mmCIF file of all heavy atoms in Angstrom:
data_model
loop_
_atom_site.group_PDB
_atom_site.id
_atom_site.type_symbol
_atom_site.label_atom_id
_atom_site.label_comp_id
_atom_site.label_asym_id
_atom_site.label_seq_id
_atom_site.Cartn_x
_atom_site.Cartn_y
_atom_site.Cartn_z
ATOM 1 N N SER A 1 1.520 -12.869 126.684
ATOM 2 C CA SER A 1 2.543 -13.759 127.286
ATOM 3 C C SER A 1 2.705 -14.875 126.215
ATOM 4 O O SER A 1 1.914 -15.121 125.385
ATOM 5 C CB SER A 1 1.965 -14.459 128.492
ATOM 6 O OG SER A 1 1.759 -13.645 129.559
ATOM 7 N N LEU A 2 4.013 -15.279 126.103
ATOM 8 C CA LEU A 2 4.260 -16.316 125.220
ATOM 9 C C LEU A 2 5.399 -17.210 125.820
ATOM 10 O O LEU A 2 6.156 -16.723 126.672
ATOM 11 C CB LEU A 2 4.823 -15.836 123.850
ATOM 12 C CG LEU A 2 6.091 -15.108 123.863
ATOM 13 C CD1 LEU A 2 6.687 -15.198 122.340
ATOM 14 C CD2 LEU A 2 5.897 -13.549 124.116
ATOM 15 N N SER A 3 5.473 -18.423 125.502
ATOM 16 C CA SER A 3 6.407 -19.440 125.954
ATOM 17 C C SER A 3 6.771 -20.445 124.946
ATOM 18 O O SER A 3 5.978 -20.766 124.139
ATOM 19 C CB SER A 3 5.750 -20.207 127.253
ATOM 20 O OG SER A 3 4.650 -20.923 126.865
ATOM 21 N N LEU A 4 8.039 -20.938 125.132
ATOM 22 C CA LEU A 4 8.609 -21.904 124.289
ATOM 23 C C LEU A 4 9.272 -23.035 125.143
ATOM 24 O O LEU A 4 10.045 -22.625 125.887
ATOM 25 C CB LEU A 4 9.591 -21.367 123.338
ATOM 26 C CG LEU A 4 10.202 -22.316 122.299
ATOM 27 C CD1 LEU A 4 9.215 -22.940 121.279
ATOM 28 C CD2 LEU A 4 11.273 -21.537 121.600
ATOM 29 N N GLY A 5 8.841 -24.259 125.005
ATOM 30 C CA GLY A 5 9.409 -25.354 125.687
ATOM 31 C C GLY A 5 9.892 -26.431 124.745
ATOM 32 O O GLY A 5 9.319 -26.673 123.742
ATOM 33 N N LEU A 6 11.031 -26.952 125.264
ATOM 34 C CA LEU A 6 11.706 -28.110 124.489
ATOM 35 C C LEU A 6 12.021 -29.155 125.324
ATOM 36 O O LEU A 6 12.479 -29.068 126.427
ATOM 37 C CB LEU A 6 12.992 -27.479 123.750
ATOM 38 C CG LEU A 6 13.799 -28.388 122.875
ATOM 39 C CD1 LEU A 6 12.897 -28.607 121.514
ATOM 40 C CD2 LEU A 6 15.129 -27.790 122.567
ATOM 41 N N ARG A 7 11.729 -30.516 124.917
ATOM 42 C CA ARG A 7 11.988 -31.670 125.653
ATOM 43 C C ARG A 7 12.635 -32.616 124.673
ATOM 44 O O ARG A 7 12.161 -32.932 123.539
ATOM 45 C CB ARG A 7 10.674 -32.265 126.153
ATOM 46 C CG ARG A 7 10.966 -33.455 127.138
ATOM 47 C CD ARG A 7 9.619 -33.888 127.809
ATOM 48 N NE ARG A 7 9.647 -34.962 128.730
ATOM 49 C CZ ARG A 7 9.576 -36.285 128.420
ATOM 50 N NH1 ARG A 7 9.400 -36.578 127.097
ATOM 51 N NH2 ARG A 7 9.858 -37.158 129.355
ATOM 52 N N HIS A 8 13.821 -33.209 125.123
ATOM 53 C CA HIS A 8 14.620 -34.026 124.310
ATOM 54 C C HIS A 8 14.891 -35.316 125.091
ATOM 55 O O HIS A 8 15.431 -35.272 126.196
ATOM 56 C CB HIS A 8 15.974 -33.433 123.835
ATOM 57 C CG HIS A 8 16.727 -34.317 122.889
ATOM 58 N ND1 HIS A 8 16.256 -34.786 121.730
ATOM 59 C CD2 HIS A 8 18.006 -34.731 123.093
ATOM 60 C CE1 HIS A 8 17.232 -35.491 121.147
ATOM 61 N NE2 HIS A 8 18.258 -35.674 121.987
ATOM 62 N N ALA A 9 14.599 -36.461 124.546
ATOM 63 C CA ALA A 9 14.846 -37.766 125.080
ATOM 64 C C ALA A 9 16.238 -38.164 124.687
ATOM 65 O O ALA A 9 16.593 -38.554 123.616
ATOM 66 C CB ALA A 9 13.730 -38.820 124.696
ATOM 67 N N LEU A 10 17.267 -38.049 125.720
ATOM 68 C CA LEU A 10 18.593 -38.514 125.473
ATOM 69 C C LEU A 10 18.612 -40.047 125.425
ATOM 70 O O LEU A 10 19.473 -40.505 124.725
ATOM 71 C CB LEU A 10 19.338 -38.019 126.794
ATOM 72 C CG LEU A 10 19.438 -36.481 126.831
ATOM 73 C CD1 LEU A 10 20.237 -36.104 128.156
ATOM 74 C CD2 LEU A 10 19.926 -35.697 125.736
ATOM 75 N N SER A 11 17.753 -40.720 126.150
ATOM 76 C CA SER A 11 17.706 -42.159 126.065
ATOM 77 C C SER A 11 16.324 -42.579 126.695
ATOM 78 O O SER A 11 15.557 -41.733 126.876
ATOM 79 C CB SER A 11 18.808 -42.730 126.973
ATOM 80 O OG SER A 11 18.703 -42.485 128.265
ATOM 81 N N GLU A 12 16.099 -43.823 126.834
ATOM 82 C CA GLU A 12 14.810 -44.222 127.476
ATOM 83 C C GLU A 12 14.636 -43.679 128.825
ATOM 84 O O GLU A 12 13.546 -43.381 129.318
ATOM 85 C CB GLU A 12 14.688 -45.814 127.450
ATOM 86 C CG GLU A 12 14.440 -46.402 126.136
ATOM 87 C CD GLU A 12 14.180 -47.834 126.173
ATOM 88 O OE1 GLU A 12 13.981 -48.312 127.272
ATOM 89 O OE2 GLU A 12 14.096 -48.431 125.131
ATOM 90 N N ALA A 13 15.696 -43.465 129.650
ATOM 91 C CA ALA A 13 15.670 -43.128 131.011
ATOM 92 C C ALA A 13 15.869 -41.601 131.213
ATOM 93 O O ALA A 13 15.312 -41.029 132.032
ATOM 94 C CB ALA A 13 16.626 -43.854 131.917
ATOM 95 N N TRP A 14 16.772 -40.969 130.313
ATOM 96 C CA TRP A 14 17.178 -39.674 130.639
ATOM 97 C C TRP A 14 16.432 -38.717 129.606
ATOM 98 O O TRP A 14 16.385 -38.935 128.501
ATOM 99 C CB TRP A 14 18.617 -39.487 130.487
ATOM 100 C CG TRP A 14 19.439 -40.168 131.555
ATOM 101 C CD1 TRP A 14 19.914 -41.395 131.564
ATOM 102 C CD2 TRP A 14 19.704 -39.494 132.799
ATOM 103 N NE1 TRP A 14 20.525 -41.737 132.761
ATOM 104 C CE2 TRP A 14 20.442 -40.570 133.545
ATOM 105 C CE3 TRP A 14 19.487 -38.315 133.467
ATOM 106 C CZ2 TRP A 14 20.893 -40.400 134.819
ATOM 107 C CZ3 TRP A 14 19.957 -38.155 134.738
ATOM 108 C CH2 TRP A 14 20.759 -39.134 135.311
ATOM 109 N N HIS A 15 15.918 -37.622 130.215
ATOM 110 C CA HIS A 15 15.247 -36.492 129.412
ATOM 111 C C HIS A 15 15.716 -35.091 129.817
ATOM 112 O O HIS A 15 15.961 -34.875 131.072
ATOM 113 C CB HIS A 15 13.734 -36.645 129.653
ATOM 114 C CG HIS A 15 13.120 -37.872 129.145
ATOM 115 N ND1 HIS A 15 13.119 -39.049 130.013
ATOM 116 C CD2 HIS A 15 12.481 -38.210 128.083
ATOM 117 C CE1 HIS A 15 12.480 -39.970 129.383
ATOM 118 N NE2 HIS A 15 12.108 -39.510 128.221
ATOM 119 N N LEU A 16 16.038 -34.369 128.809
ATOM 120 C CA LEU A 16 16.414 -32.950 129.048
ATOM 121 C C LEU A 16 15.262 -32.012 128.575
ATOM 122 O O LEU A 16 14.739 -32.146 127.522
ATOM 123 C CB LEU A 16 17.799 -32.680 128.176
ATOM 124 C CG LEU A 16 18.289 -31.235 128.285
ATOM 125 C CD1 LEU A 16 19.026 -30.996 129.571
ATOM 126 C CD2 LEU A 16 19.339 -31.123 127.265
ATOM 127 N N HIS A 17 15.011 -30.941 129.434
ATOM 128 C CA HIS A 17 14.024 -30.007 129.040
ATOM 129 C C HIS A 17 14.416 -28.668 129.363
ATOM 130 O O HIS A 17 15.343 -28.366 130.280
ATOM 131 C CB HIS A 17 12.656 -30.392 129.703
ATOM 132 C CG HIS A 17 12.639 -29.933 131.254
ATOM 133 N ND1 HIS A 17 12.408 -28.706 131.651
ATOM 134 C CD2 HIS A 17 13.083 -30.720 132.311
ATOM 135 C CE1 HIS A 17 12.495 -28.770 132.965
ATOM 136 N NE2 HIS A 17 12.811 -29.909 133.363
ATOM 137 N N GLY A 18 13.925 -27.780 128.495
ATOM 138 C CA GLY A 18 14.299 -26.320 128.648
ATOM 139 C C GLY A 18 13.016 -25.480 128.307
ATOM 140 O O GLY A 18 12.255 -25.866 127.567
ATOM 141 N N ALA A 19 13.097 -24.270 128.770
ATOM 142 C CA ALA A 19 11.885 -23.435 128.513
ATOM 143 C C ALA A 19 12.298 -21.885 128.544
ATOM 144 O O ALA A 19 13.131 -21.618 129.416
ATOM 145 C CB ALA A 19 10.718 -23.615 129.554
ATOM 146 N N LEU A 20 11.773 -21.206 127.720
ATOM 147 C CA LEU A 20 11.964 -19.715 127.662
ATOM 148 C C LEU A 20 10.591 -19.057 127.668
ATOM 149 O O LEU A 20 9.541 -19.608 126.943
ATOM 150 C CB LEU A 20 12.708 -19.286 126.441
ATOM 151 C CG LEU A 20 14.100 -19.759 126.311
ATOM 152 C CD1 LEU A 20 14.760 -19.412 125.039
ATOM 153 C CD2 LEU A 20 15.090 -19.141 127.485
ATOM 154 N N GLY A 21 10.322 -17.978 128.207
ATOM 155 C CA GLY A 21 9.049 -17.410 128.206
ATOM 156 C C GLY A 21 9.058 -15.937 128.605
ATOM 157 O O GLY A 21 9.989 -15.371 129.307
ATOM 158 N N ARG A 22 8.040 -15.136 128.076
ATOM 159 C CA ARG A 22 7.892 -13.844 128.583
ATOM 160 C C ARG A 22 6.416 -13.818 129.042
ATOM 161 O O ARG A 22 5.480 -13.985 128.300
ATOM 162 C CB ARG A 22 7.990 -12.922 127.372
ATOM 163 C CG ARG A 22 7.577 -11.420 127.616
ATOM 164 C CD ARG A 22 7.620 -10.640 126.200
ATOM 165 N NE ARG A 22 7.378 -9.206 126.413
ATOM 166 C CZ ARG A 22 6.130 -8.676 126.309
ATOM 167 N NH1 ARG A 22 5.085 -9.557 126.003
ATOM 168 N NH2 ARG A 22 5.922 -7.453 126.369
ATOM 169 N N HIS A 23 6.311 -13.456 130.333
ATOM 170 C CA HIS A 23 4.953 -13.544 130.956
ATOM 171 C C HIS A 23 4.474 -12.062 131.396
ATOM 172 O O HIS A 23 5.374 -11.486 132.109
ATOM 173 C CB HIS A 23 4.844 -14.495 132.047
ATOM 174 C CG HIS A 23 5.466 -15.896 131.690
ATOM 175 N ND1 HIS A 23 4.784 -16.884 130.936
ATOM 176 C CD2 HIS A 23 6.706 -16.542 132.017
ATOM 177 C CE1 HIS A 23 5.523 -17.840 130.760
ATOM 178 N NE2 HIS A 23 6.670 -17.709 131.386
ATOM 179 N N GLN A 24 3.382 -11.791 131.273
ATOM 180 C CA GLN A 24 2.833 -10.537 131.749
ATOM 181 C C GLN A 24 1.531 -10.734 132.534
ATOM 182 O O GLN A 24 0.838 -11.567 132.343
ATOM 183 C CB GLN A 24 2.529 -9.571 130.638
ATOM 184 C CG GLN A 24 3.595 -8.964 129.881
ATOM 185 C CD GLN A 24 3.278 -7.824 128.955
ATOM 186 O OE1 GLN A 24 2.400 -7.841 128.268
ATOM 187 N NE2 GLN A 24 4.171 -6.809 128.945
ATOM 188 N N ARG A 25 1.439 -9.865 133.647
ATOM 189 C CA ARG A 25 0.317 -9.998 134.538
ATOM 190 C C ARG A 25 -0.199 -8.597 134.729
ATOM 191 O O ARG A 25 0.496 -7.697 135.104
ATOM 192 C CB ARG A 25 0.747 -10.649 135.899
ATOM 193 C CG ARG A 25 -0.433 -10.770 136.938
ATOM 194 C CD ARG A 25 0.242 -11.432 138.243
ATOM 195 N NE ARG A 25 0.920 -10.532 139.137
ATOM 196 C CZ ARG A 25 0.385 -9.676 139.909
ATOM 197 N NH1 ARG A 25 -0.940 -9.507 139.993
ATOM 198 N NH2 ARG A 25 1.167 -8.780 140.653
ATOM 199 N N ALA A 26 -1.600 -8.461 134.760
ATOM 200 C CA ALA A 26 -2.149 -7.267 135.128
ATOM 201 C C ALA A 26 -2.440 -7.113 136.612
ATOM 202 O O ALA A 26 -2.521 -8.098 137.270
ATOM 203 C CB ALA A 26 -3.569 -7.260 134.418
ATOM 204 N N PRO A 27 -2.268 -6.009 137.229
ATOM 205 C CA PRO A 27 -2.326 -5.803 138.684
ATOM 206 C C PRO A 27 -3.823 -6.168 139.120
ATOM 207 O O PRO A 27 -4.760 -5.970 138.435
ATOM 208 C CB PRO A 27 -1.986 -4.333 138.985
ATOM 209 C CG PRO A 27 -2.279 -3.631 137.619
ATOM 210 C CD PRO A 27 -1.953 -4.704 136.586
ATOM 211 N N PHE A 28 -3.824 -6.820 140.344
ATOM 212 C CA PHE A 28 -5.251 -7.127 140.868
ATOM 213 C C PHE A 28 -5.897 -5.958 141.316
ATOM 214 O O PHE A 28 -5.223 -4.833 141.635
ATOM 215 C CB PHE A 28 -5.028 -8.087 142.074
ATOM 216 C CG PHE A 28 -4.390 -9.405 141.697
ATOM 217 C CD1 PHE A 28 -3.245 -9.992 142.245
ATOM 218 C CD2 PHE A 28 -5.088 -10.201 140.642
ATOM 219 C CE1 PHE A 28 -2.777 -11.166 141.895
ATOM 220 C CE2 PHE A 28 -4.620 -11.441 140.347
ATOM 221 C CZ PHE A 28 -3.420 -11.863 141.048
ATOM 222 N N PRO A 29 -7.230 -5.937 141.429
ATOM 223 C CA PRO A 29 -7.798 -4.579 141.895
ATOM 224 C C PRO A 29 -7.370 -4.281 143.299
ATOM 225 O O PRO A 29 -7.347 -2.972 143.566
ATOM 226 C CB PRO A 29 -9.370 -5.108 141.844
ATOM 227 C CG PRO A 29 -9.455 -6.153 140.880
ATOM 228 C CD PRO A 29 -8.109 -6.846 140.963
ATOM 229 N N GLU A 30 -7.188 -5.193 144.138
ATOM 230 C CA GLU A 30 -6.702 -4.749 145.486
ATOM 231 C C GLU A 30 -5.371 -4.066 145.392
ATOM 232 O O GLU A 30 -5.071 -3.116 146.223
ATOM 233 C CB GLU A 30 -6.581 -5.998 146.405
ATOM 234 C CG GLU A 30 -7.808 -6.679 146.716
ATOM 235 C CD GLU A 30 -8.418 -7.531 145.660
ATOM 236 O OE1 GLU A 30 -7.850 -7.717 144.551
ATOM 237 O OE2 GLU A 30 -9.568 -8.028 145.684
ATOM 238 N N GLU A 31 -4.548 -4.454 144.491
ATOM 239 C CA GLU A 31 -3.167 -3.803 144.352
ATOM 240 C C GLU A 31 -3.371 -2.372 143.822
ATOM 241 O O GLU A 31 -2.420 -1.519 144.202
ATOM 242 C CB GLU A 31 -2.260 -4.652 143.504
ATOM 243 C CG GLU A 31 -2.005 -5.961 143.978
ATOM 244 C CD GLU A 31 -1.273 -6.893 143.020
ATOM 245 O OE1 GLU A 31 -1.289 -6.645 141.752
ATOM 246 O OE2 GLU A 31 -0.721 -7.900 143.343
ATOM 247 N N LEU A 32 -4.452 -2.041 143.130
ATOM 248 C CA LEU A 32 -4.695 -0.724 142.481
ATOM 249 C C LEU A 32 -5.421 0.166 143.466
ATOM 250 O O LEU A 32 -5.086 1.356 143.572
ATOM 251 C CB LEU A 32 -5.565 -0.969 141.206
ATOM 252 C CG LEU A 32 -4.920 -1.522 139.971
ATOM 253 C CD1 LEU A 32 -5.861 -1.923 139.044
ATOM 254 C CD2 LEU A 32 -3.652 -0.829 139.447
ATOM 255 N N LEU A 33 -6.384 -0.420 144.251
ATOM 256 C CA LEU A 33 -7.382 0.446 144.900
ATOM 257 C C LEU A 33 -7.339 0.333 146.425
ATOM 258 O O LEU A 33 -8.106 1.101 147.051
ATOM 259 C CB LEU A 33 -8.808 -0.072 144.463
ATOM 260 C CG LEU A 33 -9.018 0.039 143.025
ATOM 261 C CD1 LEU A 33 -10.402 -0.554 142.641
ATOM 262 C CD2 LEU A 33 -8.892 1.398 142.373
ATOM 263 N N ALA A 34 -6.591 -0.479 147.065
ATOM 264 C CA ALA A 34 -6.625 -0.750 148.518
ATOM 265 C C ALA A 34 -6.187 0.660 149.164
ATOM 266 O O ALA A 34 -5.401 1.408 148.774
ATOM 267 C CB ALA A 34 -5.592 -1.741 148.901
#
């Protein structure tokens, strides 16, 4: 998995944020063997 986040202060009060990511998860044992 990898992620990239960006936060920009437009002013003292306002903040803009964005994020991009690729996340992988292995199946749980219950999902494999139940």
Side-chain angles (χ1 to χ4, degrees):
S1 301
L2 69 156
S3 63
L4 178 66
L6 186 67
R7 185 174 184 269
H8 181 60
L10 303 175
S11 65
E12 289 188 5
W14 291 93
H15 297 82
L16 180 69
H17 72 87
L20 295 172
R22 174 185 181 269
H23 309 289
Q24 287 190 319
R25 179 180 76 84
F28 297 124
E30 291 79 4
E31 297 168 345
L32 295 168
L33 305 174

